[in-house]
Amino acid sequence: MRRLRRSESMRALVRETTLEPGDLIYPLFLCPGEGVRREVGSMPGVFQLSIDEAVREAEGAAALGIGGLLFFGLPESKDEEGTGAWDQNGIVQQGLRAIKNSTAAKKLVLIADVCLCEYTSHGHCGIIAETAEGWTVKNDPTLDLLAKTGASLALAGADVIAPSDMMDGRVGAIRTALDIAGCEDTPILSYASKFASAFYGPFREAADSAPQFGDRKSYQMDGANIREAMREIDLDLGEGTDMILMKPAMPYLDVIRAARERVDVPIGAYQVSGEYSMLQAAFAKGWLDRDRAILESLLGIRRAGADFAVTYFAKDAAKLLA
Ligand code: PBG
């Protein structure tokens, strides 16, 4: 076996999996104001950005050959229903319009995350109601709000709509709303199998979206279930999703592989905030070789079967790959 490992050119010739800047999607957190660049405590190198700063970030990402951007928003104010999510002048809608008008937009796919948790005062991904057994997140009434949000983001300039809420039936509801709004050409990238994960912790600081009570286990998936993940994927495809996103990535590489063997649509995987933060913590301690660990973590996601990876390391990785 060692004959084919003798030189870098030989190893390159027989390399089975590739990793390119175009395979990477860079998440951005948009916040109100001007000239704002606020670092997230648990995510060194990740910032809440006002729109002017985000436009600059987008131009940087385009210059590095990154494939696309994924947008999250921190609204001016929150309420029970999350009205900021579908406001035509909402923070992500404004950001999309600004970036769509920049030169960067021609080189990048602009993906809008659809969820209510950043916009609701209670931090849950849907409408909540009290029942005899306590609170619950109501599925079907939430679908209307998600559908409105998806259409509003597409009209503001999103190239792809990416629902992450994990309500049942949301892909179908969003597809219908997009078609009615005249956005029949806008594809959906559904977070088809999204597990209730401890690794979203730092994101909730970045997006200010932690649930104020309870957890997300009644809508996000149980980490033990791979067959159920396949059912989620089948259902989303049946409702018309164009691509699927798997999440988190590293603790669930087997689920990505199973999805790859099952479906032929493009698959993305999300290297989530906790995966980023624990690597950053190890780099800060000098315990891991930064450059090699970044690329190896992303190559593993590609080798598991993902076509593209959402990662907070997108810029770092693109520089290393240049
Ligand atoms: C919104 C959403 C979350 C993430 C992406 N979209 C948080 C959550 O579900 O609590 C997590 C991303 C990350 O951890 O990097 N629902």
Side-chain angles (χ1 to χ4, degrees), residues 115 117 164 194 200 203-204 216 220 247 272-273 312:
C115 197
C117 60
S164 69
K194 173 171 175 179
Y200 306 151
F203 172 95
R204 293 179 188 168
R216 302 208 204 288
Q220 299 180 352
K247 170 183 179 185
V272 299
S273 56
Y312 303 98

Side-chain angles (χ1 to χ4, degrees), residues 71-309:
F71 294 96
F72 298 96
L74 291 101
E76 201 90 56
S77 65
K78 307 188 186 220
D79 55 38
E80 281 270 305
E81 288 206 316
T83 53
W86 62 85
D87 181 352
Q88 259 321 309
N89 276 317
I91 183 73
V92 176
Q93 285 83 352
Q94 287 183 44
L96 282 166
R97 281 194 290 267
I99 291 171
K100 203 71 194 170
N101 281 326
S102 72
T103 49
K106 288 180 189 59
K107 295 194 182 153
L108 294 163
V109 178
L110 306 184
I111 308 174
D113 183 274
V114 171
C115 197
L116 302 180
C117 60
E118 298 128 64
Y119 303 91
T120 51
S121 43
H122 45 75
H124 278 289
C125 304
I127 295 177
I128 55 166
E130 284 284 334
T131 68
E133 292 100 62
W135 62 273
T136 176
V137 174
K138 298 193 79 173
N139 195 86
D140 292 7
T142 301
L143 298 183
D144 298 334
L145 309 186
L146 295 168
K148 275 201 272 196
T149 302
S152 139
L153 291 164
L155 290 170
D159 298 313
V160 176
I161 296 300
S164 69
D165 50 279
M166 290 301 277
M167 297 301 127
D168 289 331
R170 91 270 210 222
V171 172
I174 292 172
R175 184 69 268 160
T176 303
L178 288 173
D179 293 351
I180 290 171
C183 303
E184 55 279 293
D185 291 333
T186 306
I188 295 175
L189 166 65
S190 73
Y191 289 67
S193 94
K194 173 171 175 179
F195 292 91
S197 173
F199 290 91
Y200 306 151
F203 172 95
R204 293 179 188 168
E205 183 196 346
D208 186 27
S209 66
Q212 297 304 301
F213 55 87
D215 55 39
R216 302 208 204 288
K217 288 181 185 162
S218 77
Y219 41 107
Q220 299 180 352
M221 287 186 56
D222 187 311
N225 295 355
I226 189 166
R227 290 194 299 268
E228 187 186 350
M230 299 304 111
R231 287 189 64 207
E232 283 282 6
I233 291 168
D234 292 348
L235 287 167
D236 281 10
L237 287 171
E239 290 173 33
T241 196
D242 300 276
M243 303 181 273
I244 58 172
L245 192 60
M246 315 292 291
K247 170 183 179 185
M250 197 157 70
Y252 296 90
L253 292 173
D254 57 325
V255 188
I256 298 174
R257 168 52 48 190
R260 173 77 294 158
E261 279 163 15
R262 187 181 187 93
V263 303
D264 294 325
V265 294
I267 297 178
Y270 200 141
Q271 182 180 52
V272 299
S273 56
E275 299 177 60
Y276 175 84
S277 298
M278 66 182 179
L279 285 170
Q280 286 287 11
F283 303 157
K285 291 248 184 199
W287 288 348
L288 283 176
D289 177 331
R290 180 182 171 279
D291 296 357
R292 290 182 58 203
I294 290 174
L295 293 181
E296 191 174 336
S297 69
L298 294 168
L299 187 68
I301 292 169
R302 290 266 301 129
R303 194 188 59 248
D307 299 294
F308 54 90

